[in-house]
Amino acid sequence: KFSQSYGRAWKALVRIQAAMDAADIKYDDDDEKYLVVLAQDDEERPIFESDEECKNFAADCKLAGNELFVTKKFSQAVESYTKAIDALRARDLEVDSKLLSNRAAAFLQLNEKVKAASDARASTEADPDWWKGHWYLAQAVLGIAKSSPQGACTANAERAQEAKRALESCLKTSTLPSDKRPTVERLRDSTNNTILEFSQQEGCSLQ
């Protein structure tokens, strides 16, 4: 019974932290000491009695992450999403494409483009029809390309090509809202110009 009670306590902790963070309420000194230790201790991860309990925990963490994202607490949102992803993977359960794209979005807000690209790519693999996976992948790899040194023109052009493919895949999804289509199309068209700019740089060997 201990493991079941511990799992419930951990989920309660997630809810409490999210609510306090969203309301910008500081922990009392005594509370914070124990909450931080509990949250950061890798040896005291939640133990679940069943896959269903794990899934419920992941859903709670995802919800907490969404609430933190809305309040622009992106680092804390990443932490909540990561708890959900790690819990699911520890039990070899499928990680939802939306959970992965949510963390990708948070990483983008933190300017961690490589991590965002990794999560977005995993999201497209989990569900090729989820438009946000492709959308965030395009933004991430374009950001990497534009922030890379000029001498890396071939690699940057290839990244821009990957972004274009992601945008084309995004446009083919059935989940893309009609009001978002013009935005995706505009970025796809501007990405063509980006590819051309990189390919025309001296030393570029893009085929």
Side-chain angles (χ1 to χ4, degrees), residues 5-15 38-41 44-46 48 57 61 83:
S5 298
Y6 186 82
R8 290 172 179 168
W10 186 276
K11 289 192 287 185
L13 170 63
V14 170
R15 294 193 190 97
L38 180 59
Q40 293 182 345
D41 188 350
E44 293 192 44
R45 291 181 179 177
F48 305 105
F57 168 80
C61 289
K83 287 177 183 178

Side-chain angles (χ1 to χ4, degrees), residues 77-90:
V78 165
E79 291 176 3
S80 287
Y81 294 140
T82 299
K83 287 177 183 178
I85 292 169
D86 287 350
L88 292 169
R89 286 177 174 167

Side-chain angles (χ1 to χ4, degrees), residues 122-143:
S123 175
T124 65
E125 293 169 355
D127 182 4
D129 196 45
W130 176 233
W131 74 277
K132 285 188 178 181
H134 302 287
W135 175 242
Y136 293 138
L137 176 59
Q139 292 185 60
V141 294
L142 269 179

